[in-house]
Structures are given as structure tokens and as C-alpha cells.
Amino acid sequence: MSSFTDKVSGTVKQVVGSIKEETGKLTHNEKLQAEGAAQNLEGKAEKTKGDVKSAVNDGIDSVKDGFNKL
């Protein structure tokens, strides 16, 4: 996946996970609450992966630009 796709997918997972977690709290459904927390955490990790990919790609582009100026 591209960094943008990872960021969007991660954000969506975070939102859905947060909704599940809050719904679980409101309905006293511990299983749903736990699933939501896990999905939220998974989304954060995926978004971070996208951020890292962006940073690496930016670094690679900077190096390429430096070589092209030589």
C-alpha cells in the first residue's frame, strides 16, 4: 500500500474502533469495547506506518535531488 492509503486506512480503523469502544462502554459490552480498543490501536499503527513511508520517500527524494544537482 502507498503511504497515503496506509494513512487513510489507519484513520478509518481508528474512527471505527473508537465508535465500537464507546458503544461497548455505553452498552456494558466488554467484548465490543475490547474489539474497538484493538481496532483503534491497529489503526494508529497503520497510520504510523504511512507516516514512516512518507518520511522515507521524502528522504529518498531529497537524496535524488542532491545527486541531480551534481
Side-chain angles (χ1 to χ4, degrees), residues 6-7 9-21 32-50:
D6 287 335
K7 290 179 188 180
S9 178
T11 300
V12 169
K13 284 180 183 175
Q14 279 183 278
V15 170
V16 172
S18 293
I19 291 169
K20 282 183 178 179
E21 188 173 3
L32 184 61
Q33 187 177 349
E35 285 175 10
Q39 190 170 1
N40 190 355
L41 187 60
E42 181 184 347
K44 286 179 183 180
E46 191 167 350
K47 186 175 179 299
T48 300
K49 182 174 93 173

Side-chain angles (χ1 to χ4, degrees), residues 57-70:
N57 287 333
D58 290 347
I60 290 170
D61 289 342
S62 293
V63 170
K64 285 181 182 177
D65 289 345
F67 278 117
N68 288 335
K69 290 180 181 179
L70 294 177

